[in-house]
């Protein structure tokens, strides 16, 4: 008979742990993009769109349709520190930004095999168009950077939406922190 109260107490504790973990998961839930409630935007030459990008969203829909062959500019303003789990600095000891960080910052080097793009840094800002995902996938390091305007430039591979993500493992977006204001403009 004494075993029954211990089991009941154990189940009660498990229930509390479950509630606690559910609460933690709720805190890590990705914020809803303000762009989701609006129809997709197609930018004309010289037009731009502003969006808040969150690093814990694995496929951020910008809500902007790109025109294949057109040139676009991205201007990124970090609004909070970008943190991947417990990693808040790159290999140079600087705060993580859109360029991400080297695999040497990871506790276990073999984790590099779990990045979504093995050709890019951890937490590097990545761009792609779902309609032509293979040929459009690019890291911010692949883009032309203009210091005078603090903008990155690229040419759209096809007609279709632009999506963004930080280069991380699919299963670890919940431990990401940070967001940025991104201005996307059509140059030509």
């Amino acid at each position: 008979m004494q075993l029954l109260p211990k089991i009941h107490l154990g189940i009660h504790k498990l229930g509390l742990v479950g509630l606690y973990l559910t609460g933690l998961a709720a805190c890590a839930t990705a914020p809803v993009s303000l762009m989701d409630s609006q129809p997709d935007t197609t930018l004309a030459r010289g037009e731009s769109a502003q969006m808040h990008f969150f690093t814990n969203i694995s496929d951020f829909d910008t809500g902007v349709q790109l025109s294949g062959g057109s040139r676009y500019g991205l201007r990124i303003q970090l609004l909070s520190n970008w943190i991947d789990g417990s990693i808040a600095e790159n290999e140079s000891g600087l705060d993580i930004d859109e360029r991400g960080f080297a695999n040497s910052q990871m506790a276990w080097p073999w984790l590099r095999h779990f990045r979504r793009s093995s050709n890019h840094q951890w937490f590097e800002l990545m761009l792609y168009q779902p309609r032509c995902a293979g040929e459009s996938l690019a890291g911010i390091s692949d883009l032309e950077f203009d210091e005078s305007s603090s903008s990155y430039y690229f040419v759209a591979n096809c007609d279709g939406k632009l999506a963004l993500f930080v280069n991380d493992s699919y299963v670890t977006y919940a431990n990401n922190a940070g967001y940025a204001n991104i201005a996307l403009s059509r140059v030509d």
Side-chain angles (χ1 to χ4, degrees):
M1 284 294 193
Q2 280 195 330
L3 184 59
L4 190 55
K6 287 182 182 178
I7 291 173
H8 177 68
L9 180 61
I11 291 171
H12 176 71
K13 284 182 181 176
L14 285 175
L16 289 176
V17 169
L19 286 174
Y20 175 74
L21 292 175
T22 302
L24 285 179
C27 291
T29 302
V32 175
S33 168
L34 297 176
M35 300 295 287
D36 289 344
S37 61
Q38 301 172 357
D40 291 338
T41 303
T42 301
L43 301 176
R45 283 185 187 94
E47 288 186 332
S48 64
Q50 301 269 337
M51 61 211 68
H52 289 285
F53 168 74
F54 296 87
T55 62
N56 65 345
I57 299 176
S58 62
D59 285 299
F60 180 81
D61 178 0
T62 64
V64 177
Q65 292 278 344
L66 303 182
S67 298
S70 294
R71 185 173 162 86
Y72 292 87
L74 277 177
R75 189 172 188 159
I76 303 162
Q77 177 188 12
L78 273 57
L79 299 174
S80 73
N81 291 340
W82 285 19
I83 302 170
D84 183 9
S86 62
I87 301 170
E89 296 179 344
N90 65 21
E91 59 281 6
S92 300
L94 302 172
D95 289 342
I96 296 173
D97 61 13
E98 69 273 9
R99 294 176 299 246
F101 59 88
N103 195 57
S104 61
Q105 293 298 100
M106 298 302 283
W108 300 288
W110 53 266
L111 287 173
R112 73 180 181 278
H113 300 294
F114 295 96
R115 285 180 299 204
R116 288 174 65 180
S117 173
S118 60
N119 298 324
H120 296 90
Q121 298 265 59
W122 281 101
F123 234 60
E124 181 174 344
L125 182 63
M126 305 293 292
L127 301 78
Y128 77 102
Q129 295 175 262
R131 188 162 179 228
C132 54
E135 58 268 18
S136 68
L137 180 66
I140 206 78
S141 62
D142 298 323
L143 307 184
E144 171 192 335
F145 182 70
D146 178 51
E147 286 189 44
S148 63
S149 66
S150 298
S151 296
Y152 295 90
Y153 293 96
F154 68 98
V155 174
N157 288 72
C158 64
D159 291 344
K161 278 190 191 183
L162 175 66
L164 306 171
F165 65 90
V166 290
N167 194 25
D168 204 355
S169 164
Y170 275 108
V171 296
T172 59
Y173 279 86
N175 75 359
N176 295 349
Y179 65 102
N181 183 48
I182 296 181
L184 174 65
S185 57
R186 183 172 171 184
V187 178
D188 61 13

